[in-house]
Amino acid sequence: MTSGNPPEQSRGRPATRREAGGVERSTATPKLPGAHEATDLNFIPGPDRFHYWSEISDDVKAYLERKVGPKIDWWADQHKRERDRPYAVVLGPNGLAITTPRVNAQGQRTQSIRLDLFAPSSLKHAVVQQQLIKPRGALRSLVTGRAGAPQPAAPPHLNLSQEMRGFLGNLPLEAQQRLQTPFLGTQPVTHYLSYAYGNDKDYDAWCYLAGPQTLTFASGHCTRRPGTPARQATWHLTCYQADIAH
């Protein structure tokens, strides 16, 4: 992880980077984790990620691209503490960058940038889909995962906030497993963040988990009929995983 502090020349807002501690340690072979319980994402009306991205200066954007490469996926939003300024999370082929608005000693507005750089060619991805089908007999069933897959264990005891656990619970089980499995042994989750935009019936979602050796990231689109549980949502996601460079 490296960091920078380029000047921010435009108006915006920031977001809280959530720091996390460790993970329960075990010498046993980790089982596939089960699903977290989904919580309400509490959508509120507001500008989308493109609005907040436009409020980040061109100098900061150019710095991010130099460090992590062209954007593969990203989001931007208002910061939870400094409500009039933006933050951004950018996934590139060479790393993940997280910006946080600051004010330096001279009183200038800046963006502090955390970089988790990847080992060369280590970034991989997989597509995860979940959808409802209507078989003969008009009975609905959820199609997800692979036939004959082992029964998942209980949700993992990673040191995540209840808010983050509830966010993950809205994702398909396979996506939850891809995001969390690298952290089931001795590797701790050191920081993580999530974001969703839309409404309860139709929304986009992004999140990442990062540790000393591994970073996982997921983004995708969800549609859900009113009154149905999270496990009956339709999803199309891309899940990424990369090794952290040392």
Side-chain angles (χ1 to χ4, degrees), residues 61-230:
K61 293 173 184 175
Y63 179 85
L64 298 181
E65 184 163 350
R66 287 198 303 272
K67 292 299 184 179
V68 304
K71 296 196 302 290
I72 293 174
D73 214 331
W74 63 278
W75 81 83
D77 193 19
Q78 72 176 24
H79 195 274
K80 288 190 174 182
R81 289 192 309 268
E82 300 184 37
R83 305 288 293 182
D84 67 333
R85 301 179 65 195
Y87 79 102
V89 176
V90 177
L91 175 72
N94 304 323
L96 185 82
I98 305 101
T99 79
T100 304
R102 307 285 188 198
V103 176
N104 65 19
Q106 291 73 43
Q108 299 170 317
R109 289 189 168 195
T110 66
Q111 286 278 349
S112 173
I113 299 175
R114 175 177 185 133
L115 296 171
D116 287 275
L117 300 178
F118 301 154
S121 304
S122 68
L123 181 65
K124 298 176 174 58
H125 75 276
V127 174
V128 175
Q129 297 190 76
Q130 174 176 284
Q131 61 184 15
L132 288 169
I133 62 170
K134 204 170 187 179
R136 287 180 299 177
L139 295 175
R140 288 196 187 120
S141 63
L142 188 64
V143 176
T144 182
R146 294 180 292 274
Q151 186 69 22
H157 294 287
L158 302 181
N159 190 9
L160 305 174
S161 68
Q162 198 58 43
E163 178 185 7
M164 187 65 176
R165 293 172 189 266
F167 180 94
L168 293 173
N170 284 281
L171 305 181
L173 176 58
E174 182 182 349
Q176 294 186 48
Q177 291 172 344
R178 288 183 178 277
L179 285 163
Q180 297 173 101
T181 297
F183 308 103
L184 297 184
T186 58
Q187 180 180 192
V189 176
T190 55
H191 60 105
Y192 57 92
L193 203 58
S194 63
Y195 170 72
Y197 184 83
N199 56 61
D200 291 330
K201 296 182 290 184
D202 192 318
Y203 64 91
D204 296 303
W206 294 260
C207 67
Y208 77 84
L209 303 177
Q213 289 88 42
T214 310
L215 184 138
T216 59
F217 184 105
S219 64
H221 185 76
C222 175
T223 56
R224 192 165 113 193
R225 295 182 180 179
T228 59

Side-chain angles (χ1 to χ4, degrees), residues 40-63:
D40 192 336
L41 296 179
N42 297 316
F43 292 103
I44 56 174
D48 63 14
R49 61 179 180 145
F50 296 97
H51 169 84
Y52 293 111
W53 180 252
S54 72
E55 294 192 340
I56 293 176
S57 76
D58 290 341
D59 287 346
V60 172
K61 293 173 184 175
Y63 179 85

